[in-house]
Amino acid sequence: MESVLAERLTPEELKHIRRYDVIGDIAVVQIPPELEGRTAEIVWGLRKVHPFIKVVAKKGFHEGAFRIREYSIVWGEKRLETVHRENGVGVKVDLSKAFFNPRMKGERYRLAQLVKDGERILIPFAGVLPYALVIARYKKVRITAVELNKEAYELGLENIELNRKRLRGEIEFIYGDVFKVLPELPTYDRVISPTPKGIDALALTLNKAERWLHYYDFVGEDKIVDLRRRITGECALQGKDCEVRVKKVSEFKPHVFKVCADVRILG
Ligand SMILES: C[S@@+](CC[C@H](N)C(=O)[O-])C[C@H]1O[C@@H](n2cnc3c(N)ncnc32)[C@H](O)[C@@H]1O
């Protein structure tokens, strides 16, 4: 992309180009203030590198508990709905209605590799079901997923149908508030919590896990040790003997990371 844009932007302007995503046939870009007047050239570059794209959308910030981003369409069809392909599944998304992050593709694949056939898995904060679909695609498991955004829930139901023939596992999808639904559910072999930023669901999700908890959180680089300590403390409170490994998944902003704590419950 940079070498293509070098035909139309100055070296100084090129320094401001940010990473972009392609979600289905929608290209999602960040256009910093320095490049506001160069949107047409950026669209031209994107279309040259990805001739199949039908929409170019400029991304804003994630808003509220449902983590929906603000977008403005800068070129193409007036829609933010598409089907994204990753890890052997199709994921129908509508970026104006529900959260979706294509950059977690590797993380979803990693988890699918860790899961064993026969497991019972709980996924709170499930969104349009990307984790559930990828795991059920490869493993013969029983997944229970929970989501509170009605539009994400409905897209998730469509995604189960869309992938029905490809799935080895089963997915039960519950519409509701994780903090009300989980206390009514049994415990599971594995719990995967793609926790929204600013929400603390550690005690609740650990309580539902028999053997593994994968808990996502956002922490400053110097606070990773504190998160590990907090989890070890919660394990002790719940009378669980745990091994905790925290790994950085992506850089959220300078020195702040999205991390995944892989908690192995030994007894
Ligand atoms: C960070 S997103 C992750 C979504 C999905 N797992 C993914 O990776 O695409 C968090 C999700 O939790 C949902 N959510 C937020 N609060 C919730 C609650 N109290 N109960 C159930 N879902 C909730 C949001 O609507 C959003 O879809």
Side-chain angles (χ1 to χ4, degrees):
M1 177 68 174
E2 239 180 273
S3 60
V4 167
L5 281 176
E7 287 180 37
R8 303 220 172 167
L9 299 185
T10 65
E12 188 50 39
E13 287 171 331
L14 278 177
K15 285 190 201 147
H16 297 289
I17 287 289
R18 302 272 200 283
R19 211 177 139 182
Y20 64 93
D21 293 299
V22 176
I23 303 177
D25 59 4
I26 302 177
V28 175
V29 287
Q30 261 176 299
I31 302 182
E34 296 84 351
L35 294 179
E36 280 292 352
R38 308 295 266 152
T39 303
E41 286 72 18
I42 294 171
V43 168
W44 167 83
L46 283 164
R47 292 184 60 207
K48 194 156 182 196
V49 178
H50 306 281
F52 59 86
I53 58 175
K54 299 275 189 339
V55 182
V56 177
K58 187 177 132 181
K59 86 177 168 190
F61 293 102
H62 276 131
E63 300 282 352
F66 294 164
R67 312 303 295 148
I68 300 169
R69 264 188 204 275
E70 287 284 311
Y71 289 92
S72 52
I73 294 174
V74 295
W75 175 84
E77 296 174 18
K78 301 287 170 266
R79 63 171 161 87
L80 288 167
E81 185 185 289
T82 187
V83 176
H84 182 70
R85 308 226 159 255
E86 74 153 67
N87 290 310
V89 297
V91 187
K92 184 168 175 190
V93 300
D94 186 329
L95 302 174
S96 66
K97 294 180 177 163
F99 175 97
F100 179 72
N101 184 354
R103 296 186 192 177
M104 290 301 114
K105 171 183 169 182
E107 194 50 20
R108 293 190 259 273
Y109 184 75
R110 179 181 80 91
L111 291 183
Q113 299 308 303
L114 294 175
V115 166
K116 306 267 178 293
D117 280 346
E119 285 189 13
R120 293 166 305 110
I121 302 172
L122 174 65
I123 309 183
F125 310 111
V128 300
L129 292 179
Y131 284 84
L133 295 166
V134 173
I135 294 169
R137 164 81 178 83
Y138 293 103
K139 300 290 160 77
K140 200 165 167 35
V141 288
R142 269 184 296 148
I143 298 175
T144 298
V146 184
E147 172 58 48
L148 182 59
N149 173 357
K150 189 74 194 260
E151 294 178 297
Y153 173 75
E154 276 161 7
L155 283 161
L157 291 179
E158 279 189 57
N159 282 329
I160 296 174
E161 284 315 310
L162 186 68
N163 292 281
R164 170 109 23 228
K165 290 199 180 98
R166 299 185 196 119
L167 301 184
R168 292 185 66 217
E170 287 165 30
I171 304 170
E172 171 197 26
F173 200 12
I174 301 173
Y175 166 59
D177 183 339
V178 160
F179 291 91
K180 293 186 181 138
V181 173
L182 262 59
E184 307 298 322
L185 294 176
T187 54
Y188 294 79
D189 297 313
R190 193 182 294 268
V191 178
I192 297 169
S193 177
T195 332
K197 190 163 182 297
I199 289 187
D200 179 356
L202 177 63
L204 181 64
T205 53
L206 181 67
N207 184 256
K208 292 289 148 186
E210 289 174 21
R211 293 197 290 131
W212 284 97
L213 167 65
H214 306 279
Y215 187 81
Y216 291 85
D217 206 346
F218 295 82
V219 285
E221 193 152 32
D222 52 342
K223 296 281 188 296
I224 291 180
V225 177
D226 295 352
L227 173 66
R228 203 174 165 279
R229 212 173 287 139
R230 192 160 78 85
I231 296 174
T232 313
E234 189 56 46
C235 287
L237 270 180
Q238 296 193 15
K240 288 176 160 141
D241 178 14
C242 299
E243 244 174 41
V244 184
R245 291 218 176 111
V246 181
K247 76 182 259 300
K248 289 177 186 167
V249 174
S250 61
E251 194 169 15
F252 176 68
K253 58 183 186 188
H255 309 294
V256 178
F257 290 87
K258 179 172 186 172
V259 298
C260 181
D262 292 332
V263 183
R264 185 172 177 203
I265 302 156
L266 303 162

